[in-house]
């Protein structure tokens, strides 16, 4: 057994965490030979309920789980963390716009970014799940100036999985036969799910589908609005599927992607594909050796260009808003 990996999860008594923690403890994220120390962070009012979650984790008698610590202090939670999954945030409820969440969450991600800067391990990898995820990741990144910007990411893997699922349904193909779908931009209803490079059973998805109306009027809006549809149906935002996306994201970042496929991650833009440098924007990426690489040299047609630009413009606007609110400095 290797040295335990310290995994910090915030919002640890919430819905997504309940779908996440038991799978992490079972090895679904880091593999069957990685021993894990769990550090669970909650607000003081939720620590009591977190104690119950910790009891359940203990009762799993997971062979890989070497310790469980619970705390309401971010400095304690991120001490020595190798992996941080920032789930804790105020979730959007019915009728609430994502933009309303910017100021509500700015303070949380400022505090968590600073604590990561002060206390996390040198190899820290951060995944932000709590919405607005891209901009929350940007705030945390700006408040952790000593941590390389490449270590801050946000979750668009759920959107990626949703896009695969819709394409699988449309083409009557198992999800495992669909490759090279990509999500660009923001985890919001401006995101652009791109199938122009996607393959269905090895054939170009656009040829297999051969239905532009479906692409424009059905596929793209369905993926963009899926989170809202789930909130409407469930009365709460997606939880198990979000936890699954988060596991997929971190598993692939740490352990690598398939050689013939790519995944989607929101990462700090290096200016690739004309996306403003410094924004946390979703791209198709591959992962190897614990690093991700934005897939290079993809041809972007005019249709995709305008959709990517629209979502990136929204990210730039969110950036301006949080800059004006004082959560980021430049
Ligand atoms: P939830 O309300 O069930 O749980 C959130 C938990 O975070 C609560 O227990 C709360 O006490 C805790 N929390 C709040 N502030 C905190 C802080 N400062 N430190 C530590 N913990 C804190 O919500 P949920 O359903 O688990 O969703 C969590 C977040 O994930 C929401 O913002 C939601 O919108 C978002 N989400 C993102 C995606 C995605 O794909 N990126 C998908 C679904 C949901
Ligand atoms: C989702 O995509 O399911 C969530 O991000 C929706 C939300 O706003 O919480």
């Amino acid at each position: 057994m290797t040295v335990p990996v310290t995994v910090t999860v915030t919002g640890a008594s919430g819905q997504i965490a309940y779908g996440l923690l038991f799978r992490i403890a079972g090895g679904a994220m880091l593999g069957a030979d990685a021993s894990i120390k769990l550090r669970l962070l909650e607000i003081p009012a939720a620590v009591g309920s977190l104690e119950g979650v910790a009891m359940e984790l203990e009762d799993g008698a997971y062979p890989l789980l070497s310790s469980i610590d619970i705390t309401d202090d971010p400095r304690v939670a991120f001490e020595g963390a190798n992996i941080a999954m920032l789930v804790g945030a105020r979730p959007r409820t019915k009728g609430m716009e994502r933009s309303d969440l910017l100021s509500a969450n700015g303070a949380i991600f400022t505090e968590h970014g600073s604590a990561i800067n002060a206390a996390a391990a040198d190899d820290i990898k951060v995944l932000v799940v709590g919405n607005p995820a891209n901009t929350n990741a940007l705030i945390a990144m700006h408040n952790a100036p000593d941590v390389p910007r490449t270590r801050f990411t946000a979750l668009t893997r759920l959107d990626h999985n949703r896009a695969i699922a819709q394409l699988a349904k449309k083409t009557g193909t198992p999800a495992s036969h669909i490759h090279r779908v990509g999500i660009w931009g923001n985890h919001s209803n401006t995101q652009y799910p791109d199938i122009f490079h996607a393959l269905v059973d090895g054939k170009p998805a656009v040829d297999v589908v051969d239905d532009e109306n479906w692409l424009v009027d059905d596929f793209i809006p369905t993926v963009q609005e899926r989170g809202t549809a789930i909130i409407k149906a469930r009365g709460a935002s997606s939880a198990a599927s979000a936890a699954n996306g988060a596991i997929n994201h971190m598993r692939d970042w740490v352990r690598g992607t398939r050689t013939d496929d790519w995944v989607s991650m929101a990462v700090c833009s290096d200016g690739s594909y004309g996306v403003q440098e410094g924004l946390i924007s979703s791209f198709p990426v591959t992962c190897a050796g614990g690093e991700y690489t934005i897939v290079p040299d993809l041809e972007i047609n005019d249709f995709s260009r305008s959709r990517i630009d629209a979502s990136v413009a929204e990210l730039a606007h969110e950036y301006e808003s949080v800059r004006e609110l004082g959560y980021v400095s430049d």
Side-chain angles (χ1 to χ4, degrees):
M1 194 75 70
T2 49
V3 177
V5 180
T6 299
V7 178
T8 300
V9 178
T10 75
S13 83
Q15 287 198 93
I16 292 176
Y18 203 67
L20 193 58
L21 294 171
F22 301 89
R23 289 184 64 198
I24 294 174
M29 187 167 82
L30 299 178
D33 56 358
S35 166
I36 293 161
K37 285 184 175 181
L38 274 179
R39 289 270 173 71
L40 308 180
L41 180 69
E42 258 299 348
I43 55 171
V47 165
S49 115
L50 182 55
E51 278 166 4
V53 176
M55 283 187 237
E56 285 203 76
L57 279 163
E58 201 176 295
D59 293 349
Y62 292 101
L64 295 171
L65 191 53
S66 80
S67 63
I68 310 163
D69 293 309
I70 66 179
T71 179
D72 60 9
D73 180 346
R75 283 291 290 266
V76 174
F78 292 113
E79 183 68 46
N82 306 106
I83 287 179
M85 308 185 74
L86 307 192
V87 182
R90 179 158 168 223
R92 183 166 61 122
T93 42
K94 233 177 187 168
M96 192 176 184
E97 287 306 317
R98 285 177 89 260
S99 54
D100 298 335
L101 290 179
L102 284 173
S103 52
N105 284 295
I108 296 175
F109 287 86
T110 296
E111 188 185 22
H112 291 181
S114 306
I116 287 169
N117 197 55
D122 287 347
D123 66 349
I124 180 73
K125 285 180 165 61
V126 181
L127 166 61
V128 175
V129 176
N131 279 322
N134 302 53
T135 297
N136 287 339
L138 180 104
I139 293 169
M141 180 180 84
H142 275 257
N143 285 280
D146 303 328
V147 178
R149 290 189 158 200
T150 51
R151 307 292 181 73
F152 286 87
T153 67
L155 186 68
T156 51
R157 184 61 174 271
L158 173 58
D159 310 292
H160 181 98
N161 290 345
R162 287 168 172 166
I164 290 175
Q166 292 303 316
L167 196 50
K169 203 155 76 173
K170 170 71 175 172
T171 59
T173 314
S176 58
H177 293 211
I178 292 179
H179 299 114
R180 301 191 180 183
V181 162
I183 304 292
W184 301 86
N186 202 359
H187 172 68
S188 75
N189 62 6
T190 67
Q191 68 177 266
Y192 173 51
D194 180 0
I195 64 162
F196 283 101
H197 310 282
L199 301 173
V200 175
D201 269 329
K203 299 183 202 74
V206 277
D207 295 346
V208 177
V209 169
D210 195 24
D211 182 351
E212 201 183 320
N213 289 340
W214 175 79
L215 175 67
V216 175
D217 300 331
D218 192 336
F219 171 75
I220 293 175
T222 297
V223 176
Q224 289 174 327
E225 297 293 344
R226 190 68 160 186
T228 304
I230 288 169
I231 290 173
K232 203 165 157 208
R234 251 172 53 85
S237 62
S238 61
S241 57
N244 183 56
I247 297 250
N248 293 166
H249 174 118
M250 199 52 88
R251 178 198 64 203
D252 289 348
W253 190 3
V254 172
R255 297 162 68 196
T257 44
R258 290 167 49 126
T259 49
D260 60 347
D261 202 0
W262 61 60
V263 297
S264 300
M265 288 168 65
V267 303
C268 183
S269 176
D270 58 2
S272 293
Y273 296 101
V275 176
Q276 183 184 320
E277 206 175 332
L279 293 178
I280 302 277
S281 183
S282 186
F283 292 92
V285 302
T286 54
C287 304
E291 310 280 342
Y292 60 77
T293 305
I294 294 172
V295 177
D297 303 327
L298 293 174
E299 203 176 307
I300 305 295
N301 62 25
D302 290 346
F303 179 86
S304 297
R305 184 76 262 165
S306 66
R307 304 269 172 156
I308 293 169
D309 288 349
S311 195
V312 171
E314 182 184 50
L315 284 171
H317 180 71
E318 289 184 11
Y319 171 82
E320 268 314 302
S321 305
V322 296
R323 200 177 60 78
E324 279 164 21
L325 289 164
Y327 293 120
V328 301
S329 52
D330 52 24

